[in-house]
Amino acid sequence: MKVLRIVANIETADPLAAKVFYQDILGLDILMDHGWIATFGSNQSMPVQVSFASEGGSGTPVPGLSIEVDDVDEVFAAMSSSAFEVIYGPADEAWGGRRFYVRDPFGTVVNILSHRP
C-alpha cells in the first residue's frame, strides 16, 4: 500500500471565498468546483508530508496548514495589501526557514515559508 495524496479539508459555508487567498495570491488553480466543495491545487508533483506538533516553533501556535513558496516576502506583501491578518513574522528562524503566519478567510492559521539556501 502506498499513500497517493493527502488533502487538507477546511470547513466553510462558502468554498469560493478561498479564491483571493489561495488562487489570486498563492497562485493555485481551481482543480474542482462542485459548489459545496472547491479544491485548489497544482498538478506539479510535491512531497507528501503530515506534521504533528505541540507548538509552531519560536513559541507560536501550531498552524493548520504550511505552504512553502519560493518568495516569502512577495507573498507577505500581497497578503498584507489584501488585508489578511498576519499574526507572526516575517521572521528568519534559527532552523533556516523564513516564514510568517496569516489567517485565511476561514480563520485557519497558515504558515507561509521558504527554506534559505
Side-chain angles (χ1 to χ4, degrees), residues 48-70:
V48 174
Q49 297 178 317
V50 178
S51 297
F52 302 90
S54 61
E55 67 159 286
S58 297
T60 64
V62 176
L65 294 172
S66 290
I67 299 175
E68 184 175 356
V69 299
D70 61 354

Side-chain angles (χ1 to χ4, degrees), residues 4-6 26-28 31 40-49 66-68:
L4 299 177
R5 180 171 60 144
I6 294 174
L26 291 174
L28 296 175
L31 302 178
F40 294 78
S42 169
N43 287 321
Q44 70 185 123
S45 295
M46 297 179 202
V48 174
Q49 297 178 317
S66 290
I67 299 175
E68 184 175 356

